[in-house]
Amino acid sequence: MGLFEAAGARVIDSPAGTAKLDRVPERDDRSRHRPTERRLRQLAPAVDAVGALIPVGLLCAVTQQPQPLLTAVLAGASWLAVGASKNRYSREEPAGDSAALPVLRDWLTMLGVLAIVCVVARVEVSLKICVLALVPCLALGVARRRLVHRYLVAARRRAEALRRVLIVGEAGTVDVVLAELAHRTDHEYVVVGSCLVGEEASDSAVPVPARLASDGSAPGAALDGETVLRCAADLDVDLVFVAPGRRLPAARIRRLAWALHDGGRNLAILPGLIDVSQHRVRLAKAAGLTVMHIDPAARRGVPVLLKQVTDRLGALLLLALLSPVFALVAAAIRLSSAGPVFYWQIRVGQDLRPFRMWKFRTMVVTADRMRAALETSNEHDGAMFKMRRDPRVTPVGRLLRRFSLDELPQLFNVLAGHMSLVGPRPPLPEEVERYDGTELRRLSVKPGLTGLWQVSGRSDLSWDETVALDLSYVDNWSYVRDISVLARTVRAVVDGRGAY
């Protein structure tokens, strides 16, 4: 979806700059916390080297491999060389859901490099021993990236380790960018000023220290670089964002880039895309143009087949392992309130196909008939109905909801192919009737037993946040992301936040 397709729109309800201005660090604070980030990056090569040197050296020595010390040094050097060749130590590394794949690719590359080096250096070592010894280095690489990422995200939410940004663009476009940045606090960018193109007013609270000529061919346009450099120096910014537009075409941006780079300032271009994962983006060149290819989300092929196999086998395994839990929950429901143990509802699945979804009963038998009288007490915005203290929920049902045990019968739905282990939550038919075209896209994949909604706050999220998470999942799906969500689900269930 294009970020600037409604560039003429205005952010009125919540001025775009207000939320971000609260995060603006004092310059002394910024200088105090940025070195911490740099030190973390400087420690990365040492951690990687130790993660390769020690396990390889110890295992080779224990198994009496020839030249264990030399083998360990070559392994550590190969690991560092691969990381350095891919700029892993000079820029922010992938983290979160996307941390494992780049590390795995680097690790496989390192195995090839090490094999060649050992042949050239005439070091005879068992391939099995060497690969086994390097497994800890792979795990440590992923763990290190995730820990650093979590530290930096926490610091940024405290208005630390931030990069001061100046935005250059048309007023409408700048307002849209500011609104998007204000939605989240886990990124490193805080906008401290904007250079607007033209005389159009901005609705944001961000200072506008200067404006650029609206006509790129006007005499004043030749001073674009000088103007932006002056603003960047006055505001002490770390980075200049440029948002292309009708009044800021490619040729003008090119001249501005020359001036900024010659002046020692870093530049980033905002391409106008929202929520597109890096693994879907490919850059190419054509007639001097930089072409950005956006790959569609995977809907067929080996990853999708792997997801289907994981769903069926995973559901079958969980049903076998959790059979004692099923028996205990069923007994608790039967002994605590009158009515059946299981409850089913018609839900809407992939491509608007209805199906019967099963749950453990957590409400009184007459709950469906009571809902109409409770509509005015709905505490959730949008299409969902939620109440923190729903009077229809039984005491045992409240406990089951707290730990998501009421959802376990949906494993049968996964086994039957109606649902997936991971995906958007399955909506009710009456909710789908209120969906617009954007919200309907949530139903282009199978609904899930768990998903980003489950691990990100559940019912505490607003409707817009829920839709945004589901769309992010649909558009950027990957098998690795599914595995990450499944791992995070365990913590979310134990935590119980937003479950009611």
Side-chain angles (χ1 to χ4, degrees), residues 47 98 109 111 161 175 178 184 190 203 225 227 243 265 367 370 386 431 480 484:
V47 173
S98 58
T109 303
L111 291 180
D175 284 343
L178 290 169
R184 303 278 293 269
V190 56
D203 291 324
T227 303
R265 296 288 174 180
M370 297 168 62
K386 287 288 182 180
E431 295 172 352
V480 172
S484 174

Side-chain angles (χ1 to χ4, degrees), residues 152-372:
L152 291 177
V153 168
R156 288 162 188 165
R157 285 175 172 158
R158 298 192 304 266
E160 301 169 5
L162 299 175
R163 301 182 72 182
R164 296 167 65 93
V165 172
L166 172 71
I167 295 188
V168 180
E170 298 173 36
T173 302
V174 169
D175 284 343
V176 174
V177 173
L178 290 169
E180 290 299 322
L181 290 175
H183 289 162
R184 303 278 293 269
T185 58
D186 56 354
H187 57 80
E188 62 179 327
Y189 305 116
V190 56
V191 179
V192 295
S194 61
C195 280
L196 300 182
V197 180
E199 299 301 321
E200 193 174 358
S202 170
D203 291 324
S204 75
V206 169
V208 183
R211 290 179 178 269
L212 305 183
S214 58
D215 185 357
S217 61
L223 301 176
D224 286 351
E226 182 181 330
T227 303
V228 174
L229 280 171
R230 186 176 64 252
C231 293
D234 291 343
L235 295 172
D236 190 21
V237 302
D238 303 297
L239 181 65
V240 176
F241 276 176
V242 176
R246 181 173 57 85
R247 297 175 181 172
L248 200 59
R252 194 174 184 185
I253 293 175
R254 187 187 192 191
R255 293 195 300 269
L256 179 58
W258 289 341
L260 288 172
H261 289 154
D262 290 346
R265 296 288 174 180
N266 293 320
L267 168 71
I269 303 293
L270 298 170
L273 298 172
I274 293 178
D275 206 1
V276 176
S277 292
Q278 291 180 0
H279 74 270
R280 295 174 56 205
V281 178
R282 291 181 295 110
L283 296 180
K285 295 290 291 184
L289 298 173
T290 299
V291 182
M292 183 180 292
H293 293 267
I294 308 298
D295 294 332
R299 293 290 184 265
R300 59 180 63 87
V302 174
V304 176
L305 179 62
L306 193 58
K307 177 182 175 69
Q308 293 171 351
V309 171
T310 302
D311 285 341
R312 303 299 173 86
L313 291 182
L316 194 61
L317 179 62
L318 287 172
L319 284 170
L321 292 175
L322 297 175
S323 55
V325 177
F326 273 76
L328 290 173
V329 171
I333 295 172
R334 176 67 73 180
L335 294 173
S336 63
S337 63
V341 170
F342 295 100
Y343 170 79
W344 62 266
Q345 271 184 326
I346 296 297
R347 296 292 180 110
V348 181
Q350 185 178 17
D351 299 328
L352 298 176
R353 288 192 293 266
F355 69 96
R356 182 177 292 187
M357 188 187 80
W358 292 91
K359 301 178 70 174
F360 279 122
R361 183 175 58 85
T362 59
M363 293 185 174
V364 296
V365 177
T366 57
D368 287 340
R369 295 195 296 272
M370 297 168 62
R371 175 170 170 173

Side-chain angles (χ1 to χ4, degrees), residues 15-183:
T18 304
K20 302 305 287 184
L21 285 176
D22 294 339
R23 299 178 69 215
V24 176
E26 294 294 333
R27 298 187 187 187
D28 290 343
D29 290 341
R30 191 263 308 268
S31 64
R32 186 170 66 248
H33 294 295
R34 294 293 293 184
T36 303
E37 181 180 356
R38 285 195 293 271
R39 281 195 295 272
L40 287 173
R41 300 198 194 288
Q42 291 166 357
L43 281 173
V47 173
D48 283 353
V50 169
L53 279 166
I54 294 179
V56 171
L58 287 177
L59 194 57
C60 286
V62 169
T63 56
Q64 297 182 340
Q65 298 294 311
Q67 299 176 292
L69 181 59
L70 178 58
T71 304
V73 170
L74 292 177
S78 299
W79 189 220
L80 290 178
V82 171
S85 68
K86 298 188 177 182
N87 296 320
R88 301 301 189 202
Y89 307 124
S90 59
R91 64 185 181 190
E92 185 161 359
E93 299 170 283
D97 296 335
S98 58
L101 274 181
V103 179
L104 179 59
R105 286 194 291 264
D106 290 355
W107 187 77
L108 292 173
T109 303
M110 181 263 293
L111 291 180
V113 170
L114 181 59
I116 295 172
V117 170
C118 286
V119 169
V120 172
R122 296 185 179 182
V123 176
E124 296 182 3
V125 61
S126 168
L127 179 62
K128 293 181 180 179
I129 294 296
C130 200
V131 171
L132 182 62
L134 286 169
V135 169
C137 127
L138 171 63
L140 184 62
V142 175
R144 175 182 64 76
R145 285 159 174 81
R146 288 188 170 176
L147 288 173
V148 170
H149 179 72
R150 287 183 182 180
Y151 170 82
L152 291 177
V153 168
R156 288 162 188 165
R157 285 175 172 158
R158 298 192 304 266
E160 301 169 5
L162 299 175
R163 301 182 72 182
R164 296 167 65 93
V165 172
L166 172 71
I167 295 188
V168 180
E170 298 173 36
T173 302
V174 169
D175 284 343
V176 174
V177 173
L178 290 169
E180 290 299 322
L181 290 175
H183 289 162

